[in-house]
Amino acid sequence: LGGEDIQKFEKEFAKYHGCKFGIAVNSGTSALFVAQKAAGVSKKDKVLVPSLTFTATISQVLACNATPVFTDIDKLSYCMDFNSTTSNARFAIPVHLLGHPCKNEMIKEMKEKKMFVIEDCAQAMGAKSKGKIVGSMGDCGIFSFQETKHITTLGEGGMIITNNDEFAEKCRRIRNHGEYYRDDMNVGYNFRMLESQGSFGRVQLKKLPKILKTFKENAQYVMKNLPPS
């Protein structure tokens, strides 16, 4: 389960995003892999992904032996445009890109179609759509704490958040060799976060509102002062 600081970091991070459970892992890439494995993504499955995203979104679909199905992107936000696909995929990874949230209505539509939705929030921590914070709209959200992200856990780290108790349990087992001190049989991996990273992350999380404010001010300054194209 991790040490005291990791468990507190998980709870505090999940609470910040309006979710019940947090599962800390060693990177955002690992979070993508663990979330898909816990959701049941396998060789026969197709997974909707946006045509513009970081490589890890796609590589971890391939790591699960599944097939990525590329969708077009929205012209304004550059995020996934669900209306552009006719695929019958059971899973989707909408990516909140460059601080822009995907549309909450789109994620609602995906869930209405019985799709399992994994939000990739690595680039948009704290962003909201229709009052809903990223990571809380789908079945789960994944975050990265790599050194260039909004907050960091000593250079690397990741988190999965969810309201699904059973899904959270599966994630915990997968990140730790399938061992969760329960009477079951699971294959797992070593994606654990260090206790020192959990401690560092807790301090960073308290600074997040100020960090987001600085991000927005810097972005506004750049957009205002760039020469016209």
Side-chain angles (χ1 to χ4, degrees), residues 79-177:
C79 293
M80 178 184 280
D81 180 8
F82 183 53
N83 293 323
S84 70
T85 181
T86 57
S87 172
N88 60 351
R90 297 191 301 122
F91 302 92
I93 307 179
V95 179
H96 306 290
L97 192 69
L98 299 170
H100 294 287
C102 294
K103 294 177 181 177
N104 186 26
E105 297 91 339
M106 179 190 74
I107 294 177
K108 280 184 177 179
E109 184 181 352
M110 289 175 172
K111 294 189 71 174
E112 288 170 359
K113 293 182 180 293
K114 307 301 181 183
M115 300 179 72
F116 192 96
V117 181
I118 300 170
E119 297 177 62
D120 185 335
C121 312
Q123 295 188 15
M125 193 182 300
K128 295 181 180 180
S129 174
K130 300 292 184 180
K132 291 285 289 183
I133 193 167
V134 297
S136 69
M137 295 181 273
D139 293 282
C140 70
I142 73 95
F143 295 81
S144 169
F145 305 133
Q146 186 263 353
E147 61 192 21
T148 65
K149 302 303 192 296
H150 299 77
I151 66 174
T152 184
T153 48
L154 299 174
E156 282 291 357
M159 186 77 74
I160 304 163
I161 59 172
T162 185
N163 286 312
N164 186 322
D165 186 16
E166 183 180 356
F167 174 80
E169 292 277 304
K170 290 180 179 178
C171 288
R172 294 186 189 109
R173 289 195 289 263
I174 292 167
R175 76 167 172 191
N176 186 30
H177 300 292

Side-chain angles (χ1 to χ4, degrees), residues 17 21 55 74 97 121 129 149 168 178 181 204 212:
H17 292 87
F21 309 106
T55 54
D74 176 74
L97 192 69
C121 312
S129 174
K149 302 303 192 296
Y181 306 105
Q204 287 272 286
L212 292 175

Side-chain angles (χ1 to χ4, degrees), residues 210-223:
K210 183 179 179 180
I211 292 171
L212 292 175
K213 182 174 180 290
T214 302
F215 267 54
K216 291 175 183 177
E217 289 174 350
N218 289 346
Q220 289 168 357
Y221 179 86
V222 170
M223 289 186 288

